[in-house]
Amino acid sequence: MSQPATEVAASSVGTVETRYLDLPEPVRLDCGRELHPVRVAYETYGTLSPRRDNVILVCHALSGDAHAAGRSKTPSGESTRDGFGAEGHGKDLGWWDGMIGPGKAFDTDRFFVVSTNLLGGCRGTTGPSSIDPATGEPYGPDFPVITVADMVRTQRAFLDVLGVDRLAAVAGGSLGGMQALQWAVLFPDQVDSIVVIASTHALHPQGVAWNAIARDSILRDPDWQGGRYYGTGRAPDAGMGVGRMVGHITYLSAPALEDKFGRRLQFSDDLRYTITEPEFEVESYLRHQADSFVKRFDANTYLYTSRALTYFDLARQHGGGSLARALDRVSARTLLIAFSSDWLYPPSASQEIEQALRGLGKPVELQVIEAPYGHDCFLLEEARQTPIIRRFLRERLL
Amino acid sequence: MSQPATEVAASSVGTVETRYLDLPEPVRLDCGRELHPVRVAYETYGTLSPRRDNVILVCHALSGDAHAAGRSKTPSGESTRDGFGAEGHGKDLGWWDGMIGPGKAFDTDRFFVVSTNLLGGCRGTTGPSSIDPATGEPYGPDFPVITVADMVRTQRAFLDVLGVDRLAAVAGGSLGGMQALQWAVLFPDQVDSIVVIASTHALHPQGVAWNAIARDSILRDPDWQGGRYYGTGRAPDAGMGVGRMVGHITYLSAPALEDKFGRRLQFSDDLRYTITEPEFEVESYLRHQADSFVKRFDANTYLYTSRALTYFDLARQHGGGSLARALDRVSARTLLIAFSSDWLYPPSASQEIEQALRGLGKPVELQVIEAPYGHDCFLLEEARQTPIIRRFLRERLL
């Protein structure tokens, strides 16, 4: 669906370019290692206030990148949006363009919005496909195993270079929401508020399992070559494609698939009696999603990012097993948004966070949006999130 | 958990041996082809009545075989039970031993229970790993694409040879339940009753998707070799293992995984920071399940059987899109059992069948059992199914 040009212009941050910044110091990691050099890919939207007190850090999910809003000056040809969310979404548009811009949820008339590609990424920030200075070759499996906290420490170091001490807000969905929570725990004095969407304090065992299956699918692909596939002309596309299919189904709800595809056949009214070819529309959809994803994403980044999000466990990391103890240091106001049909990051996870914060007497608000599309709602239900987030951020200004 | 020897003896059908029977005629298939020769692997338990009116056909699910009850005379070393259901289940015991035997749900003091390996199988019945008489080599991808109706026609032809015209009941769970439904539609005058457990008249699109992912994982494994891997020393174990992991998670409920594994680590109290090794207990469990499955199962049989169960669609095949029209010819009494936590074959599917049959004025009973383990309940909740099935089968005798 295209909008009239004037309307696009009025609500868009316009054409943007991803920039790159090299951190001056090594990043210390949870695993005990240090990483240096670290480059961070980033974009900014809006204007930094003279007091530098209007910064919102936006954190992306597993397969996103720094290009969160506006039209890319150098479009890569593939939006980081895919699945249901790709429909009607311009290929050069940022993955959260509906949420970031003048008058939008993250209003660039008021806020200076910063978006970075996360540590371990494959879209400009240092990750397993980056050159290891020790060898002159891509890190591959020698890249250190990173955590969500490591991603956040990298963002902290990046913002130091930008001269930004405090954040008005950290916001993100899914793995992005984990980063927002991690910010509030690691740097309680530097975060005014967090917006945690379709996320959790610790992925439930079924989610751990789905991620393990997706990773195993990559690891078992002989083209993975122990992680040293760069420059060989072969990459574990087959395995990552299967992993991505698993992901896609977990991001959607069963009723959404019923509504969208039903049991319709792809090519004819009759069965074709084929084992190797797609027969149902949903089968074709999955193959298409897998094929387009492997063109734009690095398998090792998938492995490392998936591992980081399964490791994430605020209670274990910061509370000796107690979520309340882990959240005790939080001083940020917290907005939690969950979606009724999200079974990967279910509302119950957000409720646990809400109850823990409320029990500690901390300001917290949970909004559960009734919506049918599952976890992908955090990208699809922009219109209904917008007034909630705008009001939450405005309260801070009062 | 082992039982006292006397108790085993009292409720067991004892030691059994799988037998084999070659059908005299070709089997005509839905795809238009004929298959010949067709061998059927089978076991029987109990005694055929002089009037041959006490026969129950038991149909297995995707990964089962003809060894449904008793102790195998020639144990293969791996039960076809796995997952949660493998615990405390002897390796040489049939997959439904808790349900078939003297005094059990399918009471061998009254009934002559017949169990066959399904068409396309890899445990004795003709399937893709069988020798194609046209080439002298295993069929592999030249095996015709089969349907649930083809499986049932094969069972019909097999029972003809045994001299059995009518069935007191056809029973099965999951794909086995589809076969029971298919019997009632294809041969309405020859089936007194059907017991359809944790099954459906047509798999919902999310289930179609899971199956497509599992098949794609096999197809994308280079060791699949276009289906001609027999005798090459390489088989698509890696891909089938991933497919089986997907299956396992869909057979269980998220709360069951939470209850069983939580987020417990496998090897220590601390993270080991590993990408390639399992870290959480649920990750180890999945790998173990995959590894043991690939030792006992043929990947092509997995592909063909998975395809057949996604094709199964009573309304499309027999009702021009209407389930009621498809079921109009049914004369069997129908018992449907579903499990509250089964999200792969949810209670709603059984309710649709119940409502269609009730609307047609046909005798039907639906029992939804509240149980937490998901689809695997049909194997795990034997104790609670037993009185329901015994009563249902007894009513027939009145």
Side-chain angles (χ1 to χ4, degrees), chain A residues 145 203 205 215-216 220 238 245 258 262-263 273-274 277 279 283 287 307 310-313 316, chain B residues 145 203 205 215-216 220 238 245 258 262-263 273-274 277 279-280 283 287 307 310-313 316:
Chain A
V145 176
L203 196 59
R215 289 197 310 275
D216 265 9
R220 287 163 178 248
M245 292 186 205
E258 180 75 51
R263 287 182 48 90
Y273 298 102
T274 171
E277 296 306 307
E279 182 85 282
E283 295 176 352
R287 287 210 183 172
R307 181 44 106 192
T310 64
Y311 274 166
F312 184 72
D313 189 333
R316 174 180 284 147
Chain B
V145 176
L203 195 60
R215 289 197 308 277
D216 266 8
R220 286 163 178 248
M245 292 186 205
E258 180 76 51
R263 287 181 50 88
Y273 298 102
T274 171
E277 296 306 307
E279 183 85 282
F280 296 94
E283 295 176 352
R287 287 208 182 172
R307 182 43 106 193
T310 64
Y311 274 167
F312 184 71
D313 190 332
R316 174 181 283 145

Side-chain angles (χ1 to χ4, degrees), chain A residues 30-31 145 147 202-206 208-210 212-213 215-217 219-220 222 224 237-239 241-242 245-246 249-250 252-254 257-258 261-265 269 271-280 282-283 286-287 290-291 303-304 307 310-313 316 343, chain B residues 30-31 145 147 202-206 208-210 212-213 215-217 219-220 222 224 237-239 241-242 245-246 249-250 252-254 257-258 261-265 269 271-280 282-283 286-287 290-291 303-304 307 310-313 316 343:
Chain A
D30 275 335
C31 68
V145 176
T147 64
L203 196 59
H204 58 60
Q206 193 196 56
V208 171
W210 293 128
I213 292 170
R215 289 197 310 275
D216 265 9
S217 184
L219 298 176
R220 287 163 178 248
W224 184 59
D237 292 347
V242 169
M245 292 186 205
V246 170
I249 298 302
T250 64
L252 296 165
S253 68
L257 288 169
E258 180 75 51
F261 301 109
R263 287 182 48 90
R264 283 192 305 277
L265 301 175
D269 293 336
L271 301 182
R272 299 184 304 159
Y273 298 102
T274 171
I275 296 294
T276 54
E277 296 306 307
E279 182 85 282
F280 297 94
V282 68
E283 295 176 352
L286 281 173
R287 287 210 183 172
D291 291 348
L303 291 175
Y304 278 84
R307 181 44 106 192
T310 64
Y311 274 166
F312 184 72
D313 189 333
R316 174 180 284 147
W343 55 286
Chain B
D30 275 336
C31 68
V145 176
T147 64
L203 195 60
H204 57 62
Q206 194 197 56
V208 171
W210 294 127
I213 292 170
R215 289 197 308 277
D216 266 8
S217 184
L219 297 176
R220 286 163 178 248
W224 184 60
D237 291 347
V242 170
M245 292 186 205
V246 170
I249 298 302
T250 64
L252 295 166
S253 68
L257 289 168
E258 180 76 51
F261 301 109
R263 287 181 50 88
R264 282 193 306 278
L265 301 176
D269 291 337
L271 301 183
R272 298 184 304 159
Y273 298 102
T274 171
I275 296 294
T276 53
E277 296 306 307
E279 183 85 282
F280 296 94
V282 68
E283 295 176 352
L286 281 172
R287 287 208 182 172
D291 292 347
L303 291 174
Y304 278 84
R307 182 43 106 193
T310 64
Y311 274 167
F312 184 71
D313 190 332
R316 174 181 283 145
W343 54 287

Side-chain angles (χ1 to χ4, degrees), chain B residues 6-30:
Chain B
T6 51
E7 195 179 329
V8 169
S11 65
S12 172
V13 301
T15 301
V16 292
E17 192 167 15
T18 302
R19 284 173 287 175
Y20 305 90
L21 187 151
D22 294 314
L23 299 182
E25 303 287 335
V27 175
R28 295 210 54 181
L29 304 173
D30 275 336

Side-chain angles (χ1 to χ4, degrees), chain B residues 1-5 7-9 11-18 43 45 63-82 85-102 104 115 123 296 379 382:
Chain B
M1 248 70 81
S2 66
Q3 297 172 290
E7 195 179 329
V8 169
S11 65
S12 172
V13 301
T15 301
V16 292
E17 192 167 15
T18 302
E43 295 189 2
Y45 322 105
S63 61
D65 62 10
H67 181 44
R71 300 200 173 275
S72 175
K73 193 172 174 183
T74 52
S76 65
E78 291 284 343
S79 167
T80 60
R81 277 222 181 192
D82 43 24
E87 290 173 14
H89 196 84
K91 287 208 172 212
D92 55 348
L93 279 184
W95 57 271
W96 230 4
D97 187 71
M99 298 282 274
I100 301 166
K104 293 184 179 174
S115 170
R123 307 272 285 193
R296 72 170 174 88
L379 294 171
E382 294 171 329

